[in-house]
Amino acid sequence: MANVEQLLEEIGNMTLLELSEFLKAFEEKFEVTAAAPVAVAAAAAPGAAAEAAEEQDEFDVILESAGDKKIQVIKVVREIVSGLGLKEAKDLVEGAPKPILEKVAKDAAEAAKAKLEEAGAKITVK
C-alpha cells in the first residue's frame, strides 16, 4: 500500500504537462484510454487547476461598453481588428458586450485593452 501512496503523491506533484506526457505513455504501454482517470487525477490535484490558470497564454479582449466616445472606440476597433469595415466595427461596438479579439497573446491583449480604454471604452480581458 505504501507504493500506491507514493505513486499518488508523485502524480499529485506533477505539472499539467508532465501529467499529460505520463498519460500518453500509460495509454501506449497498456493500450488503454484513460479519459476517466484524467478527470480523477485533476480532481485529486487541485493545485494543477491553479497552475493551469497561471500558465494561460491565450486571452480574449471583450468590449463591455463604448462609453461616451463611441466614434473614437469604433476607430480603434477598426485599427485593432484587421479587415473590419466601418459598418462591421460600428455594429460590433453597438452590440457590446462582445469579444473584440479572441485567443491572442497576453501582450497583444494588454495593448488592445490600453488602446481601447484610452479611447473611452470599458474592456475586460479573460
Side-chain angles (χ1 to χ4, degrees), residues 58-70:
E58 292 182 339
F59 297 86
D60 295 341
V61 178
I62 300 169
L63 174 68
E64 297 297 332
S65 71
D68 295 336
K69 301 177 184 177
K70 188 165 68 171

Side-chain angles (χ1 to χ4, degrees), residues 1-122:
M1 199 63 172
N3 289 337
V4 172
E5 292 299 322
Q6 288 174 342
L7 183 58
L8 288 174
E9 183 66 31
E10 193 67 33
I11 289 173
N13 291 331
M14 289 179 156
T15 65
L16 288 176
L17 184 59
E18 291 169 335
L19 189 58
S20 174
E21 291 171 358
F22 170 75
L23 180 60
K24 288 177 186 175
F26 185 89
E27 288 175 340
E28 289 175 11
K29 179 168 178 109
F30 296 105
E31 298 177 359
V32 294
T33 301
V38 170
V40 172
E51 187 174 313
E54 292 174 13
E55 294 179 9
Q56 181 179 357
D57 60 352
E58 292 182 339
F59 297 86
D60 295 341
V61 178
I62 300 169
L63 174 68
E64 297 297 332
S65 71
D68 295 336
K69 301 177 184 177
K70 188 165 68 171
I71 294 173
Q72 290 301 106
V73 173
I74 292 171
K75 288 179 182 179
V76 173
V77 167
R78 286 191 65 205
E79 178 184 325
I80 292 172
V81 182
S82 61
L84 205 60
L86 182 60
K87 180 177 179 359
E88 292 86 4
K90 181 179 181 250
D91 292 343
L92 187 69
V93 170
E94 288 177 348
K98 293 245 180 179
I100 301 292
L101 297 172
E102 294 179 325
K103 297 183 180 177
V104 296
K106 184 176 183 174
D107 56 341
E110 291 298 324
K113 179 182 178 185
K115 283 183 181 179
L116 287 163
E117 285 180 341
E118 186 178 315
K122 292 182 182 170

